[in-house]
Amino acid sequence: MPPPLLLLFFSLLPPADGRGELRAFVVAHSHMDVGWVYTVQESMHAYAANVYTTVVEELMKGKQRKFIAVEQEFFRLWWDAVATDTQKQQVHQLLQEGRLEFVIGGQVMHDEAVTLIDDQILQLTEGHGFLYETFGIRPQFSWHIDPFGASATTPTLFALAGFNAHLISRVDYDLKADMQKNKKLQFVWQGSPSLSERQEIFTHVMDQYSYCTPSQIPFSNRSGFYWNGIAAFPDPPKDGVYPNMSLPVTDTNIHLYAKTMVANIKERAAWFRTSDVLWPWGCDKQFFNASVQYSNMDLLLDYINKHSDEFGVTVQYATVGDYFQAIYSRNLTWEIRDSQDFLPYSTEPFQAWTGFYTSRSTLKGVARRASSLLYAGESFFTQYVQKHPASSICKCGALKQLQSLRWAVSEVQHHDGITGTESPKVKDMYMNNLMYGIFNVKKLMASIIFDMNNAKKNGEVYSSVYNKDSGIPGATDVDQYVVVYNPLAWNITTFVTVSVSHLAMSVYDELGLPVPAQVQSSVESHSTYDLYILVAISGLSYRKYSIKALNGKQSAFIGRSVKYKQKDITRADQESRQLLPVVNNCYQVLFDQNTNLMHSITERETNQTVRLTQEFLEYHVNGDVKKGPISDNYLFAPNASAIPVSKAVGLEVVSGNLMTEIRQYFYSNVTAQDYVYAVYTRMYTIPEGYDGKLLCHRIEQEYSVGPLELNREAVLRTSTNLNTRQLLYTDSNGYQIQKRPFKAYMNNTVARNYYPMVQTAYIEDDTTRLMLLAERAHGVSSQGNGQVEVMLHRRLWNNLQWDLNYNLTLNDSSVVRPVIWLILGTKALTNVLYRTSGLALEHRPVVMFGALSDKPKLPRQLQQNSVHGSPVTVPPNLHLQTLSIPGWRYSSNHAEQVHSVRAGKQKQGDANFSRALLRIRHLYEVGEDPVLSQPVMVNLKSLLNGLGSVILVEERSLTGTWDVNTLKRWKWKTAQYPSKGFSNSTETSENSIVTVHPKEIRTFFVYFQGQ
C-alpha cells in the first residue's frame, strides 16, 4: 500500500492519456558491488559505510529528499557494526515516511545467467527475512540494473516473492535500440510458460543511458551530477576532496545545469509511452558524501520546477515505487512478452558477454558444492531439532554454523561473483567465505551424527563431501565407517567413492550384511585406491557402512586395468576399423581402437545407435587491443574457429563387475609425455535387487583440463549424426528450458551463439535426444549440425588499460575437474530421467568418515538409530526444494509484526526453532509428459510425519514474508486481460492437503507439536 499522502497526490494527476507535461522521477541510488574489484571489507572502509551514514543524515535534513537502498549485505554490515541507535531510529522513521525504500531486498543483486534458482531464492530470502524481522517491510520492486543479460526465471521469482514490477537494463545493444525506437521498453512479462499470467510481472527496460546519470556535460570538462566525485581506495581522503567532483551549482551555471538535465529528460521521454520519466541519479559507488550531493541537487530541482513552464518539465525526488505507481495509475494496456529471455548479451558488434559463462570454473564449482552441502545440512538439522528436542548440541550455535554458509552462498551469487568477473583478491574472498561455511556445516553434520549415536568421543568423525582426496587414513587396525546422507526426498541408488589404501576391502551395512563395492586404482594418486560403494538410501535418510581391510571371500570386486597403445589420430586408418565395446544394461558404447576416441552409443532398449565422437578444441584469442577485439573475464571474442588440441590419444579401461571406467588421455603430439586434457567415463552395472534405472541410464564423465596456455579457451565438442538443424536447448537457472536456434550475425557469430548452461543442455532430432547435465555453469553452443560444445576452461591476458587497472584479466592457471552426465534416448525416456538425474547430480549424497577404535562390531546404538524410521519422500515430478529452520523471530501475522516493530520489541529472545520453512517445486511444464505433467496432491502432514506431528501449516510467498491469502499484487492491463486490479493466484486448503500444479514453487511455514 502506498502511504495515504501518495494516494492524494495521484488523485490530482492529469487525465491518464499517458502524455502531458513531462514529470521526471529523480531516483537517488548507489550501485554497490558486493565484491568485484575490491573486497567487501575494503568497500565498507572506503565508501559503503559512509553511504548509509551520510544518506540517513541528509534525508533527515530535507523532507523532499529520497533514496533507494539495494544490496542487503552492505546495509546489514552497516546496521550491525556501524549504525548508532539514533541512526537506527531515523531509518525506521524514513521507511515509514516512504523516503527510504528498499528495492529487491536480497543480499546481493544476483547474476541471472549462471546462477541456480535455489541460490537466487536463498539470497533473496536471506535479505527479505532480515528486512521483515527488523522493519516489518517487504520490498515490492526490482532494480536488476547490472546483471549481464536477463533470464526469464527472474521475473517469475520476483512475482512469486510478491513484487509489483521488475526493472532490468543490460540487453543486446541492437535490440535495445529497436525497443527504444518503437517505445517497447515496457511490457508485461510472462516468464514461465506454465504459470503464464498467474505469475506475470510488469517489466521496465532502462534506456541506453542505463542506471547512471549522464556524465558528460557540455559546459564543463568534469563529469556532471556527481558532486561527491569518485570513491577513493583504500582510504577516504582526509580533506574530503575526491577525484573528479562535479562543478558545484552556482547562480552562474544553474541555468546550464538545468538545460542539460531537461534535454536529457526529454530525450528519454521520447522512448516511452507515458510522460513519466525515470531519471536515475547515481552510479557505482556514489553517495558516500550525500551532503554535497543533495545540497547541489536541491538547488537544481527547485530551479527547474520554478521555470517548469519554460522547460516543459517538472522534477521530483522519487523512489522506484513512486515511479511504478505513476505508470500503474496511467491505466494503459501493455504488450505481453512470452518466456523468451534476454541472453546472451552484447554491448557492441565484437563484445559478446558470453565468456563469463565459464570464467573461473573452480569458483563456479565450489559455489555449487557449497550450495548443495547447505541444502543437505539444512534438512539434516531440521530433522534433528524435531526428533531430538533434548539434544546436547547448542541449537543457536548450530544455526550460526548454517548461517555462515547461507551468507557465503548468498554473497557469491552477486553478478561479479559466481560470474568469475572479479579481481583475484575478491575471488579469494568468496572462496575463503565459502570454505569457512562448508567447514562449519560439515562440523555440524558430524556432531549431529555423533549425538544421535552416542558414539564414544574417541570415535572421530571427520567429513568430506564427495571429495575423493580426503578419505580414510591408511590404518588397518581400526574399523572405519562411512555415514552417507541422502539429501533428496526420493529413494536413491547410487555410488559413493571413498579413498582407501588397500585393494582387498569389504563393506558391510548396519546389520553386518555385505554391500556391493568395487576397488580400483585411483585416477588421482598412485598410492591409493578408489572404493566405489553401492548405496540405496531412502529420502532424507542416512545409512552407515563399515569398511574393513581383509582378504576374505566377501571382499569387494576388483577393477582390472587394461592399457591400450597410444594412437596417432592424425594418421588413423579409416578402413580397418576395430571397435572396442563397453556395455551395461542400458547402453553399448563403442571406442575406435584406431584413434582411442568414442565411436558410437547404442541405447539398448530401442536398439537405436547414434554415431558420437568427442574431442577437445581450443579457441585462440587475441590479447592485444591494437590488433582487434579481445577476450576477457566477461567477453568471448574468438579470432577463428576452434583448433583440435591433440594429435595422440592414450586409452586405459578399468573394468569390474559393477563399473567400467574408460580413461582417455589427450596429448599434443605422439612424443608428448604430459597431457593437459583427460576424460574419465564411467558406466555402471547394477546387481539384482537394486533399482538401477537412473544409474544405468547415465554415462558419467569427469574431465581434467589445464593448465592452459595463455589466451586459450578450452571446449569439449561432442559431434553426432543427429539431424538437429543446429537447434540447441539450454536450461534457465535449473528451472525451465529455453530454445536456442543458431543465429547468423554480421560479426562475432561464434560468440553470440554461446549460451549459459546452468544444469542442462540438449540436442535432438525427430526421435532421439542427447542430454548433458552439469554440476557447475558452463558456456555451451551448437556450432554445427548434430554438435554440442561445452566451454570448460579459459586462461586470458590482455593489455586493455581498464582490465589492467582493476586487475580483471583472467590468468587462471588452474586445472579444473568438472563433471557432466550424458543421457541418450528417446524424448519420452529422457523426459522421465533428466529432471531427477539433474538433481541427483546437484545433490549427491554427503559422505562423512569416522573411525571406531577397538570395536570389532558396530555398537548396538549404531544399529538401532541407523536408518531413519520414516523417510520423507515425494513423487518423482516433485522436488522438496527447501526444508530448513530459518530462525527468524518475526510474527507471521503482519499486523502483529508491524506492531512489535513500532513498539521496538522485534529483536528480543533467541532464534525461533519451532518454525520450519518448506518449499515444494513441480519439476514439469504443462504438457511436457503425459503422466509427470499432471498436478499432484500432497498431504503435508503425512509427508513430514517422520519428523513429528504437524500442528499448523501456513502458505507463504516465495521468501516467506507474505501470507499468500493477503498478497494482492498489481494486475497490469493487457490485451489478454483488459480489466486491471489485483492478482491473487493460489488456493490453499485448510487441512494441509495441497495440489501442486506444473512449475509451481509453493512455500510453507510448518509448525510441529511440542516445540
Side-chain angles (χ1 to χ4, degrees):
M1 258 306 272
L5 251 167
L6 214 61
L7 287 177
L8 179 75
F9 178 71
F10 286 120
S11 57
L12 305 174
L13 281 180
D17 59 347
R19 300 313 283 178
E21 183 177 78
L22 297 181
R23 267 201 311 172
F25 292 77
V26 177
V27 176
H29 77 101
S30 178
H31 180 60
M32 298 155 78
D33 284 302
V34 182
W36 175 36
V37 177
Y38 303 102
T39 66
V40 167
Q41 291 69 27
E42 287 173 322
S43 297
M44 280 298 287
H45 173 73
Y47 83 94
N50 290 337
V51 172
Y52 290 113
T53 301
T54 66
V55 163
V56 169
E57 187 185 342
E58 289 306 310
L59 291 180
M60 295 307 291
K61 289 180 185 168
K63 281 288 181 207
Q64 77 288 11
R65 295 171 173 179
K66 297 190 176 187
F67 189 80
I68 60 165
V70 188
E71 300 82 2
Q72 285 309 297
E73 179 160 331
F74 283 127
F75 181 81
R76 290 173 73 174
L77 290 169
W78 176 78
W79 183 261
D80 290 339
V82 182
T84 63
D85 287 347
T86 305
Q87 287 165 336
K88 289 183 176 184
Q89 279 309 308
Q90 291 171 337
V91 169
H92 279 283
Q93 184 189 328
L94 291 166
L95 287 167
Q96 281 182 38
E97 291 173 4
R99 297 200 293 118
L100 176 64
E101 179 176 75
F102 286 109
V103 291
I104 311 178
Q107 285 292 92
V108 299
M109 186 184 296
H110 70 252
D111 167 68
E112 299 194 34
V114 298
T115 47
L116 194 60
I117 183 172
D118 308 55
D119 301 330
Q120 297 177 352
I121 293 172
L122 170 76
Q123 72 84 22
L124 208 55
T125 305
E126 256 307 280
H128 285 191
F130 163 77
L131 286 173
Y132 194 53
E133 182 172 85
T134 313
F135 305 112
I137 64 147
R138 306 175 280 204
Q140 288 176 280
F141 303 98
S142 110
W143 182 253
H144 256 224
I145 55 177
D146 203 31
F148 322 135
S151 148
T153 301
T154 312
T156 303
L157 289 193
F158 286 163
L160 288 165
F163 286 17
N164 287 319
H166 177 36
L167 182 148
I168 61 177
S169 181
R170 291 186 181 267
V171 302
D172 258 340
Y173 69 98
D174 38 8
L175 178 64
K176 183 176 276 198
D178 193 55
M179 292 166 87
Q180 274 183 186
K181 200 174 78 199
N182 297 306
K183 297 192 181 188
K184 293 197 183 238
L185 290 166
Q186 294 170 319
F187 47 84
V188 170
W189 197 353
Q190 297 182 351
S192 158
S194 294
L195 301 175
S196 68
E197 77 281 351
R198 286 187 300 144
Q199 301 300 341
E200 68 190 13
I201 192 165
F202 180 80
T203 303
H204 171 104
V205 183
M206 285 186 149
D207 60 51
Q208 67 191 40
Y209 290 101
S210 194
Y211 63 86
C212 292
T213 319
S215 57
Q216 260 60 53
I217 54 174
F219 55 90
S220 160
N221 55 2
R222 295 193 225 166
S223 69
F225 311 100
Y226 297 116
W227 292 285
N228 59 191
I230 295 169
F233 286 80
D235 301 304
K238 295 264 187 295
D239 58 4
V241 177
Y242 284 83
N244 202 10
M245 295 169 82
S246 301
L247 283 176
V249 173
T250 60
D251 289 349
T252 50
N253 67 17
I254 193 163
H255 191 72
L256 295 169
Y257 257 122
K259 263 176 40 181
T260 304
M261 185 168 175
V262 166
N264 183 260
I265 290 166
K266 288 181 169 171
E267 183 185 4
R268 288 175 153 175
W271 299 325
F272 292 92
R273 290 178 58 199
T274 78
S275 56
D276 314 291
V277 180
L278 177 64
W279 206 79
W281 173 37
C283 198
D284 292 40
K285 310 180 192 65
Q286 283 293 307
F287 284 88
F288 46 83
N289 176 355
S291 162
V292 57
Q293 289 281 81
Y294 282 109
S295 58
N296 281 285
M297 189 55 99
D298 285 353
L299 298 171
L300 187 49
L301 298 191
D302 282 349
Y303 182 84
I304 293 174
N305 286 336
K306 281 203 181 81
H307 300 87
S308 62
D309 291 352
E310 175 194 337
F311 287 128
V313 169
T314 59
V315 285
Q316 65 192 73
Y317 287 118
T319 62
V320 180
D322 295 339
Y323 171 72
F324 280 125
Q325 177 75 62
I327 301 289
Y328 185 61
S329 306
R330 297 280 181 198
N331 207 9
L332 300 184
T333 301
W334 299 97
E335 278 189 12
I336 291 174
R337 180 181 178 88
D338 66 9
S339 58
Q340 195 52 48
D341 64 8
F342 292 95
L343 288 164
Y345 161 63
S346 291
T347 37
E348 285 174 26
F350 283 101
Q351 292 190 347
W353 294 47
T354 56
F356 80 90
Y357 301 158
T358 307
S359 296
R360 299 204 193 284
S361 175
T362 302
L363 175 64
K364 285 175 163 64
V366 171
R368 283 275 281 277
R369 279 226 295 281
S371 157
S372 166
L373 178 68
L374 177 62
Y375 173 75
E378 296 278 17
S379 65
F380 204 62
F381 177 64
T382 304
Q383 294 184 78
Y384 175 70
V385 167
Q386 300 308 336
K387 292 179 182 176
H388 301 263
S391 62
S392 67
I393 290 178
C394 160
K395 287 191 294 205
C396 288
L399 191 61
K400 284 203 166 64
Q401 289 175 302
L402 285 166
Q403 279 166 339
S404 70
L405 190 52
R406 288 177 193 167
W407 184 283
V409 172
S410 296
E411 175 186 77
V412 79
Q413 306 310 317
H414 171 65
H415 57 268
D416 285 300
I418 195 166
T419 51
T421 55
E422 64 283 281
S423 65
K425 66 179 172 186
V426 173
K427 182 258 301 178
D428 293 341
M429 173 196 80
Y430 292 128
M431 283 294 255
N432 291 340
N433 292 347
L434 288 165
M435 296 319 272
Y436 174 70
I438 285 172
F439 174 75
N440 282 333
V441 172
K442 285 179 176 176
K443 212 161 65 177
L444 171 64
M445 291 180 79
S447 53
I448 287 175
I449 291 278
F450 234 31
D451 190 60
M452 300 227 276
N453 294 303
N454 300 325
K456 291 273 191 304
K457 292 299 177 222
N458 64 352
E460 228 184 314
V461 175
Y462 32 97
S463 68
S464 159
V465 183
Y466 44 81
N467 268 355
K468 288 191 196 153
D469 49 8
S470 44
I472 284 172
T476 52
D477 52 337
V478 175
D479 261 5
Q480 312 293 347
Y481 68 89
V482 291
V483 176
V484 184
Y485 177 61
N486 167 24
L488 289 165
W490 301 312
N491 301 338
I492 61 155
T493 303
T494 190
F495 281 93
V496 296
T497 318
V498 174
S499 188
V500 293
S501 53
H502 298 272
L503 257 184
M505 303 300 268
S506 298
V507 182
Y508 301 95
D509 67 11
E510 302 88 350
L511 303 172
L513 301 170
V515 173
Q518 179 170 320
V519 187
Q520 58 196 44
S521 66
S522 167
V523 164
E524 293 185 2
S525 139
H526 294 304
S527 56
T528 61
Y529 300 94
D530 290 338
L531 171 64
Y532 286 82
I533 306 169
L534 182 62
V535 298
I537 312 178
S538 30
L540 264 55
S541 304
Y542 68 91
R543 302 271 316 255
K544 293 197 199 62
Y545 301 92
S546 61
I547 298 174
K548 302 174 195 221
L550 56 102
N551 293 300
K553 54 182 187 301
Q554 289 177 333
S555 70
F557 299 117
I558 292 179
R560 301 292 178 196
S561 161
V562 178
K563 287 195 169 76
Y564 293 85
K565 210 171 129 238
Q566 190 195 69
K567 291 293 159 62
D568 180 344
I569 57 176
T570 57
R571 317 254 291 272
D573 180 359
Q574 293 303 315
E575 298 308 305
S576 60
R577 192 166 256 155
Q578 278 198 297
L579 300 173
L580 168 75
V582 178
V583 186
N584 70 4
N585 293 337
C586 298
Y587 297 116
Q588 169 178 284
V589 179
L590 296 179
F591 287 84
D592 184 340
Q593 293 198 277
N594 285 334
T595 60
N596 287 339
L597 295 174
M598 199 181 278
H599 170 271
S600 61
I601 303 178
T602 303
E603 203 277 309
R604 294 184 61 190
E605 198 181 338
T606 56
N607 210 15
Q608 184 99 24
T609 299
V610 173
R611 286 290 306 275
L612 188 149
T613 181
Q614 293 182 308
E615 59 177 340
F616 289 106
L617 302 97
E618 285 174 350
Y619 287 100
H620 292 210
V621 296
N622 166 44
D624 184 354
V625 289
K626 294 190 192 70
K627 292 187 179 158
I630 52 142
S631 273
D632 64 9
N633 300 42
Y634 309 86
L635 309 176
F636 172 39
N639 53 19
S641 299
I643 296 160
V645 292
S646 59
K647 296 196 164 56
V649 181
L651 178 69
E652 179 184 359
V653 177
V654 183
S655 46
N657 295 34
L658 298 177
M659 182 185 81
T660 303
E661 182 173 71
I662 302 101
R663 302 172 179 174
Q664 293 165 290
Y665 303 97
F666 293 76
Y667 298 92
S668 54
N669 57 54
V670 187
T671 55
Q673 295 302 301
D674 297 323
Y675 58 87
V676 174
Y677 294 89
V679 184
Y680 310 107
T681 303
R682 301 182 191 106
M683 288 170 62
Y684 299 103
T685 304
I686 297 84
E688 285 292 308
Y690 285 87
D691 172 14
K693 186 173 171 186
L694 286 188
L695 250 184
C696 172
H697 272 109
R698 67 180 181 240
I699 298 170
E700 290 186 8
Q701 292 197 316
E702 183 178 354
Y703 312 102
S704 175
V705 180
L708 301 178
E709 288 174 46
L710 264 182
N711 290 326
R712 299 285 186 271
E713 317 218 13
V715 302
L716 175 82
R717 183 177 289 167
T718 302
S719 305
T720 70
N721 61 346
L722 297 174
N723 178 19
T724 61
R725 306 194 238 325
Q726 240 176 306
L727 179 59
L728 174 69
Y729 296 84
T730 66
D731 70 318
S732 171
N733 310 107
Y735 177 64
Q736 59 193 28
I737 297 291
Q738 291 274 350
K739 204 172 180 170
R740 309 294 194 188
F742 189 86
K743 297 177 184 156
Y745 295 95
M746 293 283 291
N747 303 305
N748 219 13
T749 291
V750 169
R752 287 186 83 173
N753 279 285
Y754 255 80
Y755 294 93
M757 155 187 183
V758 177
Q759 230 173 16
T760 314
Y762 64 85
I763 53 172
E764 63 185 20
D765 65 10
D766 298 335
T767 58
T768 309
R769 181 182 287 169
L770 172 67
M771 208 98 220
L772 281 65
L773 302 172
E775 40 72 81
R776 69 187 70 177
H778 300 280
V780 62
S781 186
S782 177
Q783 296 285 338
N785 189 21
Q787 278 182 8
V788 56
E789 65 181 53
V790 180
M791 192 179 288
L792 299 174
H793 202 11
R794 325 175 67 216
R795 184 180 182 187
L796 309 165
W797 190 89
N798 68 68
N799 58 7
L800 179 67
Q801 207 47 53
W802 189 83
D803 278 339
L804 295 176
N805 290 350
Y806 290 132
N807 198 2
L808 286 177
T809 57
L810 191 69
N811 191 356
D812 182 349
S813 58
S814 63
V815 176
V816 297
R817 303 293 297 261
V819 172
I820 287 181
W821 291 357
L822 307 179
I823 300 176
L824 180 76
T826 60
K827 293 179 189 181
L829 174 75
T830 54
N831 250 350
V832 171
L833 295 172
Y834 85 93
R835 307 246 182 215
T836 32
S837 297
L839 285 157
L841 173 56
E842 190 67 39
H843 299 298
R844 287 167 285 188
V846 178
V847 180
M848 288 164 277
F849 298 101
L852 291 172
S853 348
D854 317 316
K855 296 262 193 301
K857 293 241 350 132
L858 291 175
R860 295 240 28 107
Q861 236 91 26
L862 258 79
Q863 292 181 26
Q864 297 311 317
N865 292 338
S866 56
V867 184
H868 282 343
S870 37
V872 177
T873 50
V874 296
N877 50 356
L878 295 188
H879 169 45
L880 188 110
Q881 185 163 316
T882 310
L883 178 61
S884 71
I885 292 178
W888 305 310
R889 303 176 196 79
Y890 62 69
S891 165
S892 56
N893 176 311
H894 184 59
E896 249 171 57
Q897 174 60 12
V898 170
H899 179 73
S900 74
V901 167
R902 302 241 162 118
K905 291 204 287 259
Q906 76 282 11
K907 268 293 192 189
Q908 289 136 9
D910 281 340
N912 178 350
F913 291 93
S914 64
R915 174 190 318 175
L917 174 69
L918 170 74
R919 283 193 194 95
I920 293 177
R921 162 156 63 113
H922 197 302
L923 294 172
Y924 284 81
E925 298 283 359
V926 170
E928 188 179 350
D929 183 272
V931 177
L932 297 168
S933 290
Q934 296 302 319
V936 188
M937 265 175 90
V938 185
N939 183 327
L940 299 179
K941 283 187 178 174
S942 49
L943 173 70
L944 300 173
N945 197 19
L947 275 71
S949 163
V950 173
I951 49 172
L952 177 66
V953 174
E954 301 171 331
E955 181 156 10
R956 307 293 291 184
S957 61
L958 183 70
T959 58
T961 53
W962 292 87
D963 171 345
V964 290
N965 300 307
T966 62
L967 174 57
K968 304 268 191 282
R969 293 197 310 121
W970 296 352
K971 183 89 187 142
W972 297 73
K973 241 172 41 169
T974 59
Q976 193 178 341
Y977 292 92
S979 69
K980 201 181 78 170
F982 294 103
S983 74
N984 185 1
S985 60
T986 38
E987 21 71 50
T988 27
S989 72
E990 286 301 295
N991 53 3
S992 73
I993 294 173
V994 294
T995 302
V996 188
H997 293 271
K999 274 310 189 222
E1000 283 186 340
I1001 302 173
R1002 305 284 288 274
T1003 305
F1004 305 93
F1005 285 164
V1006 180
Y1007 302 86
F1008 291 91
Q1009 186 85 47
Q1011 271 293 317

